[in-house]
Amino acid sequence: MTESAAGGLKTAVVCGGAGFLGSHLCDRLVADHRVICIDNFHTGRRRNVAHLSSRECLVLLEHDIVEPLSLAGENIDRIYNLASPASPVHYQSDPLRTVKTNVLGVLNLLELARHHNARFFQASTSEVYGDPLEHPQRESYWGNVNPVGVRSCYDEGKRCAETIVYDYRRQHDLEVRTVRIFNTYGPRMLADDGRVVSNFIVQALAGRDLTVYGQGTQTRSFCYVSDLIEGMVRCMEQEEFSEPINLGNPIEFTVSDLARQVIRLTGSASKLTYGALPEDDPKRRLPDITLAQRHLNWEPAVPLEDGLCRTVAWFREAGQA
Ligand code: NAD
Ligand code: UDP
């Protein structure tokens, strides 16, 4: 499965490999791949992969994917593209950079894949469904996205990235895989990246009130990182299905439910405070994972309470650093 055409270990490039999900993917791939991790350290951190690069399990290259790259002299079998800011706070802080990463960056990586005849994996997002009018969201749903709103640099950037990926398949016969990732959490999230799980845990551990936006009735489903990485690798390595596949936890929680769980699991005395709901914040989000069950034999195994306990433990130890 992980042998290259020449018979040695497959070489995998992980773009965005120093980020939250990318670093967990690198941890997984080094067991049976040569791994080249590419990152510009915009939201990623060298420390996330330092344990791999120092043992020479992985080659770490600083590069912004908005610029072309050739990796001449390498034989690349797999390219995973996770390079993009993912938290609303980060992707909205420099929206043009977000668009460039998701459009020009994806074009550059697809050219790299074409040059090496490598299989290409695109980390897409539930945000392609926008503020969905269908519930739960199936892959066949085309979405409800505000094309000129504050989230559109990311939503439309990722939608355009999917377009480019499937045009490369149509026009150049490139092998492609795409997963649409729903909210995922776990160790190595940045303490200050503004996402709800990290915000609530950091606030609860510090004894500060938890900042619920709106009434807290909006919903999300929360997938633990190890489950997601398993689904990503299964998607890349299965041979039959190249259309986009949802990966996420099919259990829906309100944001207030999540806040109360975090307070309970941390034993914090924090209370909830209520603030303004961000513009275009999706009201309900829940994946239909029938395709992932059928084609990848995948579904999440880690219940929210277990995943939150592991994440809280990590933030207590390392996450505030
Ligand atoms: P992250 O911000 O931790 O990781 C993104 C990584 O990409 C960082 O290491 C960052 O430095 C790097 N990067 C950004 N722009 C780059 C550029 N131009 N060139 C090179 N590197 C660049 O976020 P994450 O949560 O690990 O998300 C990884 C991917 O998964 C993203 O593409 C994101 O859109 C997607 N995703 C994540 C979630 C989630 O819940 N975590 C949900 C949906 C989609
Ligand atoms: N949210 C919140 N308090 C916070 C951070 C986020 O209530 O401190 C809400 C946010 O408005 C959204 C949900 O939690 O409804 C998930 O937000 P996140 O930024 O994690 O991801 P999104 O799914 O919006 O991309």
Side-chain angles (χ1 to χ4, degrees):
M1 186 77 117
T2 51
E3 281 199 356
S4 69
L9 275 187
K10 276 194 176 132
T11 299
V13 172
V14 181
C15 302
F20 160 49
L21 297 179
S23 62
H24 287 278
L25 178 62
C26 289
D27 280 339
R28 165 69 187 264
L29 293 177
V30 291
D32 49 10
H33 292 73
R34 273 193 71 231
V35 177
I36 301 174
C37 170
I38 292 177
D39 209 292
N40 68 351
F41 307 110
H42 173 33
T43 52
R45 297 291 177 263
R46 284 181 193 275
R47 65 171 182 253
N48 287 340
V49 287
H51 58 293
L52 302 176
S53 50
S54 65
R55 286 172 23 227
E56 297 181 7
C57 301
L58 162 148
V59 177
L60 179 58
L61 299 180
E62 182 166 0
H63 179 83
D64 190 320
I65 63 161
V66 169
E67 303 301 328
L69 69 168
S70 70
L71 298 180
E74 296 284 356
N75 287 313
I76 311 294
D77 302 286
R78 301 283 186 257
I79 298 174
Y80 286 87
N81 178 29
L82 285 76
S84 167
S87 121
V89 169
H90 282 143
Y91 68 66
Q92 290 172 28
S93 69
D94 188 346
L96 295 176
R97 182 179 190 175
T98 302
V99 171
K100 284 182 194 164
T101 293
N102 278 301
V103 177
L104 301 180
V106 169
L107 278 166
N108 286 331
L109 296 183
L110 284 160
E111 272 306 300
L112 182 72
R114 192 157 81 96
H115 178 76
H116 287 269
N117 198 22
R119 188 178 289 181
F120 185 84
F121 175 100
Q122 171 65 8
S124 190
T125 168
S126 55
E127 287 278 329
V128 300
Y129 303 121
D131 189 4
L133 304 176
E134 279 187 16
H135 199 75
Q137 291 81 56
R138 285 190 301 251
E139 292 84 349
S140 54
Y141 178 49
W142 288 356
N144 175 43
V145 174
N146 175 356
V148 294
V150 292
R151 295 175 89 98
S152 58
C153 58
Y154 183 71
D155 300 8
E156 296 289 22
K158 287 284 189 178
R159 285 165 68 95
C160 186
E162 286 197 13
T163 305
I164 302 167
V165 165
Y166 288 93
D167 282 337
Y168 262 77
R169 186 178 74 163
R170 274 184 286 268
Q171 215 167 319
H172 296 301
D173 215 17
L174 195 73
E175 277 201 80
V176 300
R177 304 286 183 268
T178 297
V179 297
R180 294 181 178 155
I181 303 168
F182 286 64
N183 300 60
T184 300
Y185 68 98
R188 299 188 195 148
M189 295 183 87
L190 288 177
D192 63 353
D193 82 354
R195 285 187 267 195
V196 68
V197 174
S198 44
N199 266 12
F200 284 176
I201 290 176
V202 168
Q203 290 162 346
L205 290 179
R208 298 199 307 269
D209 289 346
L210 274 57
T211 52
V212 174
Y213 301 156
Q215 300 301 306
T217 51
Q218 70 273 33
T219 68
R220 298 291 187 271
S221 60
F222 300 99
C223 185
Y224 189 65
V225 60
S226 58
D227 282 331
L228 185 85
I229 299 301
E230 179 62 33
M232 287 170 64
V233 175
R234 284 192 197 192
C235 179
M236 179 62 122
E237 294 305 332
Q238 54 83 30
E239 298 298 329
E240 61 172 25
F241 197 77
S242 56
E243 302 300 322
I245 298 187
N246 289 338
L247 290 182
N249 196 308
I251 302 178
E252 189 176 12
F253 291 90
T254 67
V255 164
S256 296
D257 288 337
L258 176 73
R260 283 188 281 269
Q261 280 236 41
V262 169
I263 288 176
R264 183 172 60 80
L265 295 173
T266 51
S268 172
S270 301
K271 304 272 183 285
L272 310 192
T273 57
Y274 293 86
L277 192 65
E279 204 176 319
D280 293 337
D281 199 279
K283 287 178 272 308
R284 288 185 79 183
R285 183 185 288 157
L286 181 69
D288 180 315
I289 60 164
T290 309
L291 283 186
Q293 289 166 320
R294 184 183 306 150
H295 293 285
L296 311 180
N297 192 24
W298 177 89
E299 58 187 16
V302 181
L304 181 62
E305 179 161 338
D306 292 2
L308 285 177
C309 285
R310 292 183 213 179
T311 311
V312 167
W314 182 82
F315 270 102
R316 277 192 207 278
E317 286 293 310
Q320 314 292 327

